[in-house]
Amino acid sequence: MSTGFSAGLGGGVTIFLDGGEASILRSLVSQVLGLVQPGSTGQDPLERALGIGEAEEPSDPVLARLFPSAYADDEKASTEFRRYTEATLREGKRADAETLLETAEQGEVRLTADQAQAWLRALNDVRLALGVRLEVTEEIHEELSDMSEDDPRYPAYVTYDWLTYLQDTLVRALW
């Protein structure tokens, strides 16, 4: 398993990934990228230029977690907020995922500060998506330590734990 991220020169970071780790990261990020379709905007040229669209709250629990309502108690305000932000948020998530896909490879991976920030956001999105699908709670470490390796959920939980580790080491390397 990877030893995690370490600080590099100029605010960048470095990590060594074996072939399996790079493959898992690329697969998971590709799945999130497939979920986060580009945001749609209105037909008006100004709306298109500003990323303003008609946005409804996602019915998919993963997308609802990735794009939560801004105002839980005010549906109208939440819809209006989503209208002005969701297309841009989607593009940002897609750009972060694409950065990770372009740079995650077997061996030593050196990331600039900007690439490292994109990785941090993309790892967070993957963890959120996987966490929703696994119905992760704060007791995940307890559940994982009590779980048999024969449990069909075990590989997914270990993957979630590994992603948490990567994210933690990346945060520590950046700060």
Side-chain angles (χ1 to χ4, degrees):
M1 181 167 103
S2 164
T3 57
F5 287 91
S6 59
L9 298 175
V13 297
T14 303
I15 188 170
F16 184 87
L17 298 172
D18 68 29
E21 291 169 329
S23 178
I24 289 168
L25 279 173
R26 293 176 61 78
S27 175
L28 291 170
V29 170
S30 293
Q31 290 175 43
V32 170
L33 186 59
L35 283 173
V36 181
Q37 299 298 318
S40 60
T41 59
Q43 296 301 316
D44 181 89
L46 182 60
E47 287 182 353
R48 281 197 308 268
L50 296 176
I52 300 171
E54 295 298 324
E56 295 179 16
E57 188 171 346
S59 58
D60 182 333
V62 169
L63 290 175
R65 183 69 177 104
L66 292 174
F67 303 102
S69 292
Y71 304 97
D73 298 334
D74 188 340
E75 186 176 332
K76 184 177 178 183
S78 189
T79 299
E80 192 69 6
F81 182 83
R82 187 179 298 281
R83 179 172 177 248
Y84 287 100
T85 62
E86 189 167 314
T88 304
L89 289 172
R90 284 177 177 271
E91 288 309 312
K93 288 184 182 302
R94 292 180 60 76
D96 293 338
E98 289 167 356
T99 296
L100 192 146
L101 289 173
E102 291 167 2
T103 55
E105 54 190 40
Q106 181 177 346
E108 186 177 67
V109 178
R110 292 177 185 255
L111 302 173
T112 65
D114 289 341
Q115 289 171 325
Q117 291 292 330
W119 269 61
L120 189 58
R121 292 184 297 266
L123 285 172
N124 190 60
D125 289 344
V126 170
R127 284 187 63 248
L128 287 173
L130 188 56
V132 168
R133 294 289 191 236
L134 295 175
E135 299 178 350
V136 168
T137 65
E138 290 185 22
E139 290 81 30
I140 184 173
H141 296 293
E142 196 174 296
E143 290 177 45
L144 188 54
S145 66
D146 293 340
M147 191 179 290
S148 163
E149 290 184 19
D150 295 331
D151 189 311
R153 301 171 302 157
Y154 185 78
Y157 273 80
V158 168
T159 300
Y160 180 87
D161 194 50
W162 175 65
L163 292 168
T164 302
Y165 166 76
L166 287 182
Q167 188 176 28
D168 178 64
T169 63
L170 180 52
V171 167
R172 291 173 190 274
L174 287 169
W175 285 279

